[in-house]
Amino acid sequence: MKSNVLNKPLSLCGALLSLVIASFAFAASDVDLQQSPEVSATVEGQIKMPKQQERMALNYVNQPPMIPHSIDGYQVTKNTNRCLQCHGVESYRTTGAPRISPTHFMDSDGKVLGEVAPRRYFCLQCHVPQTDAAPIIGNDFKPMPGFGH
């Protein structure tokens, strides 16, 4: 009978090794990240991102709203979150910014917390700045009826 005790650690090591090799292969490639729209989106002359703009319509239910202003220089780390200075429950009334959603205060079990849940703390994982950039990869996505443009 085969022992399953070693299977999980070996599988984990294999996956980790694959990830490390893929990272080195990507780093060694001739991809210029400075030419990537994700990195250079606010570089002068490439993509226009006005300081303030109208909020874009959502395309589907529960879509995270896009950010209608520049976030250059915003710090979102485990110790500080610049977004909460305007969108936090203590400050949104004085700043005029939309208040952070109550869903962001629930943990994965649905328990309401007194502060932003760790899984919702890093805003830029879901919320992205609006730009006039063309899609990197073309698609034929159509918004749900009643959503979008």
Side-chain angles (χ1 to χ4, degrees), residues 4-138:
N4 288 332
V5 174
L6 291 178
N7 284 344
K8 190 172 183 181
L10 287 176
S11 296
L12 216 54
C13 287
L16 184 60
L17 182 60
S18 297
L19 196 62
V20 169
I21 290 170
S23 297
F24 281 117
F26 181 76
S29 72
D30 58 353
V31 174
D32 182 4
L33 290 178
Q34 294 305 315
Q35 298 304 313
S36 168
E38 295 88 352
V39 175
S40 62
T42 58
V43 174
E44 185 67 33
Q46 289 194 7
I47 297 173
K48 295 177 184 153
M49 186 188 306
K51 185 169 183 173
Q52 291 288 359
Q53 52 186 318
E54 292 295 316
R55 284 193 259 171
M56 296 176 86
L58 301 180
N59 292 305
Y60 55 89
V61 176
N62 293 328
Q63 174 187 350
M66 289 190 276
I67 304 167
H69 57 79
S70 174
I71 57 168
D72 284 352
Y74 276 37
Q75 187 175 17
V76 181
T77 66
K78 67 178 185 144
N79 296 322
T80 187
N81 183 327
R82 171 63 177 85
C83 304
L84 295 177
Q85 289 179 0
C86 294
H87 297 276
V89 293
E90 303 84 20
S91 54
Y92 80 96
R93 285 189 182 115
T94 57
T95 64
R99 179 181 49 85
I100 187 171
S101 170
T103 61
H104 289 53
F105 292 87
M106 287 187 236
D107 67 11
S108 56
D109 297 323
K111 179 182 172 194
V112 177
L113 306 174
E115 52 191 39
V116 176
R119 68 187 187 126
R120 297 289 185 98
Y121 180 80
F122 294 97
C123 310
L124 303 177
Q125 287 180 304
C126 299
H127 301 277
V128 297
Q130 296 176 177
T131 68
D132 65 354
I136 295 172
I137 298 173

